[in-house]
Amino acid sequence: MTFINDEIGKKIRKLRKNKNITLEELSSLIHKSKSTISKYEKGEISIDIETLYDISSALDVSITELIYYPAGSIISSRKDLPNFFRDLQHFYSYYFDGRANKLIRCVFDIVSGPRNDGSYAIMMYMNFRDYDNYQKCENTYFGYIEHFDAVTNIQLSNRDMPMEKASIKIMASSLNHETKWGLFCGFSSRPMMPVAVKMLFSKERLEESKGLTTQLKVSKEDIRLLKLYNMLPVT
């Protein structure tokens, strides 16, 4: 149990610091002493479920972001899952933002599941500076990932703007490749308009090279297919 306390405490500390909340401020918000919260973060004492909910509310995060799942505990036993996602608790994605002329990195955390319908709760962290603090990012989404025979579907809501919905489709995730292409559809606020971008998904972090950026940009073949089908397909 001590190890689990340590891991939950690390999550609380990282999220608290990412949101620039001091121990004193968190203490006031959940009506616990500063020393008690410090012990929570160091893993020295266990946190009861009611206090865990209080902390998630004070930090404005989903409680699933605070819970620790041992490696492989969520999905490794699900042999019916597509090969690309099997045994993963984290995966990565990349797209190119032409407005800022830069590559955007994302991390996905599978945080709980499966539910009765076979879907898993998922967090998406978009556009962060470094992987050690990826939860401190420009946009955070919460939603569910579900798998079908030919496609993986991810439905998301922006945690800071719940009215903003997004969806991702990943084809042929049953094939055990290290990377897969998908299509992200959502809503942009710069400028305000619906958007669809191609995203590359990976089991491991990729080198953010010129070659990767070239892959993520809309190509001549993408434009040819767009004109042919009058839609943006990603294969």
Side-chain angles (χ1 to χ4, degrees):
M1 180 65 83
T2 301
F3 178 75
I4 294 176
N5 291 341
D6 288 343
E7 294 301 315
I8 292 176
K10 288 176 185 176
K11 289 190 174 188
I12 292 172
R13 185 173 187 271
K14 178 176 284 189
L15 287 166
R16 177 179 63 77
K17 285 185 170 291
N18 285 349
K19 291 177 175 291
N20 298 315
I21 296 175
T22 66
L23 281 173
E24 291 84 354
E25 290 169 335
L26 184 55
S27 170
S28 176
L29 288 169
I30 69 169
H31 308 293
K32 297 281 186 179
S33 70
K34 177 182 172 182
S35 62
T36 297
I37 295 174
S38 179
K39 289 179 180 179
Y40 287 154
E41 293 187 349
K42 293 177 182 177
E44 295 177 354
I45 56 176
S46 299
I47 307 175
D48 62 88
I49 191 65
E50 184 176 351
T51 300
L52 200 62
Y53 271 96
D54 289 340
I55 292 174
S56 71
S57 177
L59 297 178
D60 191 27
V61 299
S62 166
I63 194 169
T64 54
E65 292 181 74
L66 302 179
I67 297 173
Y68 169 72
Y69 299 93
S73 64
I74 297 178
I75 62 175
S76 61
S77 62
R78 297 278 299 181
K79 301 304 180 184
D80 57 326
L81 285 181
N83 285 317
F84 181 81
F85 296 97
R86 195 168 297 168
D87 298 321
L88 291 182
Q89 286 185 254
H90 314 275
F91 58 96
Y92 307 87
S93 75
Y94 304 85
Y95 73 93
F96 184 78
D97 188 338
R99 300 164 301 179
N101 194 34
K102 69 174 184 178
L103 180 151
I104 304 295
R105 57 174 78 102
C106 307
V107 170
F108 291 79
D109 285 345
I110 301 175
V111 292
S112 69
R115 303 194 303 169
N116 290 337
D117 61 2
S119 65
Y120 294 78
I122 194 166
M123 298 294 303
M124 174 185 175
Y125 303 94
M126 176 186 286
N127 197 15
F128 47 86
R129 290 186 177 182
D130 64 90
Y131 282 97
D132 289 336
N133 297 286
Y134 66 83
Q135 292 173 326
K136 191 173 184 178
C137 60
E138 182 181 6
N139 292 296
T140 303
Y141 293 83
F142 175 78
Y144 296 94
I145 178 171
E146 52 188 350
H147 311 279
F148 301 99
D149 291 339
V151 64
T152 292
N153 181 49
I154 303 175
Q155 297 292 334
L156 300 164
S157 296
N158 190 317
R159 199 178 62 191
D160 298 318
M161 295 182 291
M163 59 184 290
E164 181 191 345
K165 309 294 182 182
S167 67
I168 298 171
K169 299 290 188 295
I170 305 173
M171 293 299 298
S173 53
S174 59
L175 300 178
N176 193 20
H177 295 165
E178 291 302 306
T179 60
K180 297 296 301 180
W181 284 102
L183 185 68
F184 176 93
C185 299
F187 193 80
S188 166
S189 58
R190 306 189 313 270
M192 192 169 290
M193 62 182 179
V195 296
V197 297
K198 64 178 186 178
M199 297 183 78
L200 184 62
F201 296 83
S202 176
K203 296 180 180 181
E204 304 289 341
R205 287 166 51 179
L206 300 178
E207 179 183 357
E208 296 175 17
S209 62
K210 183 178 179 180
L212 176 60
T213 299
T214 299
Q215 281 185 281
L216 296 171
K217 290 182 177 181
V218 175
S219 66
K220 290 182 179 179
E221 178 63 11
D222 293 328
I223 295 173
R224 186 188 73 82
L225 293 175
L226 189 155
K227 290 181 176 179
L228 178 64
Y229 300 135
N230 197 39
M231 60 184 67
L232 178 62
V234 176
T235 59

